[in-house]
Amino acid sequence: MPRLKHVKGAEEAVAAHPFAVPEERQVPGGWAELFGNGAPVFLEIGCGKGRFLLGQLSRRPERNYIGIEMYSSVLLRGLEAVDAMAAAGAEELKHIRFIRRNAIELDRIFAPGEVGGIWLNFSDPWPKERHAKRRLTHGRFLRLYEKVLAPGGVVEMKTDNPDLYAFTLEEAKACGWDVLFKTEDLYADETLLDGNIATEYEEKFVAEGRPIHKIVMKPQQPEI
Ligand code: SAH
């Protein structure tokens, strides 16, 4: 299995990278200190090679960003993209960091209210019913997001997978979340694409003519 060999080198390279936060510094309530400012932290879970998050950073450099990715070999590609930006002298990089972690540990990484918003782009659909709990929009994940999101913070998800889309709407309903926006074909309407940042997967799926689905949702807030 050549992939395993790859992963080993990747782990070390990630651990040594200045933009990868070591696990002992991934502490709830510690992010303002790490970033040196109290701006909200926006997360992409399953950030892949990082293009989307770096795009968000360029657009809104005043926010803080964390890319969360489970696999070192994938995360390393994102860190290489950071290196390229750093070489070009990108000042805003002080607002972005990456962590190699499973999102199921989210409440051990962020304190309540510490997260401004969450993106889930082309998350693994886990089509088998017995793997449903691994889907990043399963109720157990929505309850975690609810714990760490600041008031008004939203979760935005994009997928090419109609089943994951339908599942997400069901889980949102079951958890009492508000669906603020949904479409089964983001690219059908140019106005919807305003401000859209295409991810690596998205570019591939769009080229194949697969419709991109999108949902924006948030936990229900108590009436004031
Ligand atoms: N967002 C990227 C990559 C999508 S693939 C894009 O749109 O191009 C989904 C990614 O999510 C994979 O890299 C996978 O390793 C990661 N992932 C899946 N489950 C995860 C979890 N529980 N925690 C962290 N990352 C996860």
Side-chain angles (χ1 to χ4, degrees):
M1 294 214 286
R3 196 165 164 258
L4 281 180
K5 217 168 110 195
H6 252 93
V7 170
K8 186 142 194 307
E11 239 165 68
E12 289 147 8
V14 166
H17 199 283
F19 284 82
V21 180
E23 195 161 326
E24 66 272 16
R25 291 210 64 193
Q26 299 170 18
V27 198
W31 295 98
E33 193 190 329
L34 187 130
F35 281 112
N37 71 74
V41 181
F42 287 77
L43 315 178
E44 185 185 9
I45 301 177
C47 63
K49 299 173 191 166
R51 184 210 290 173
F52 175 87
L53 210 58
L54 289 166
Q56 290 289 351
L57 172 70
S58 299
R59 216 164 272 180
R60 303 282 305 269
E62 76 284 3
R63 295 166 160 180
N64 296 316
Y65 300 90
I66 302 271
I68 304 179
E69 172 53 57
M70 212 155 70
Y71 292 111
S72 310
S73 52
V74 181
L75 189 57
L76 189 57
R77 303 293 301 277
L79 293 168
E80 284 163 5
V82 170
D83 288 336
M85 278 178 76
E91 169 70 8
E92 66 270 25
L93 286 173
K94 61 177 186 285
H95 288 289
I96 194 165
R97 290 294 181 273
F98 291 85
I99 64 180
R100 199 212 53 74
R101 198 91 183 247
N102 188 327
I104 198 65
E105 299 183 301
L106 211 62
D107 59 345
R108 285 190 264 153
I109 308 172
F110 299 98
E114 208 170 14
V115 173
I118 299 174
W119 290 290
L120 307 170
N121 293 317
F122 302 89
S123 307
D124 305 73
W126 294 108
K128 292 195 178 108
E129 198 42 48
R130 67 189 157 91
H131 291 144
K133 280 174 78 178
R134 297 184 192 175
R135 297 175 194 149
L136 290 179
T137 50
H138 188 281
R140 69 177 183 150
F141 279 103
L142 297 189
R143 282 184 287 274
L144 272 180
Y145 304 155
E146 199 161 335
K147 266 183 160 174
V148 298
L149 273 173
V154 303
V155 171
E156 290 194 26
M157 71 92 77
K158 289 192 276 188
T159 182
D160 64 307
N161 187 293
D163 294 336
L164 184 65
Y165 174 80
F167 173 82
T168 300
L169 292 174
E170 278 166 26
E171 293 295 284
K173 194 172 177 197
C175 291
W177 281 41
D178 291 326
V179 173
L180 307 176
F181 171 82
K182 63 183 163 100
T183 178
E184 291 175 27
D185 195 353
L186 186 62
Y187 284 70
D189 178 349
E190 245 176 56
T191 58
L192 295 181
L193 285 176
D194 202 28
N196 185 60
I197 297 176
T199 76
E200 284 91 355
Y201 273 52
E202 182 170 344
E203 200 155 83
K204 191 176 125 242
F205 291 139
V206 169
E208 289 169 3
R210 296 173 73 91
I212 305 302
H213 302 52
K214 179 175 176 178
I215 299 171
V216 181
M217 57 189 180
K218 71 176 180 60
Q220 232 163 46
Q221 277 169 322
E223 304 273 336
I224 301 167

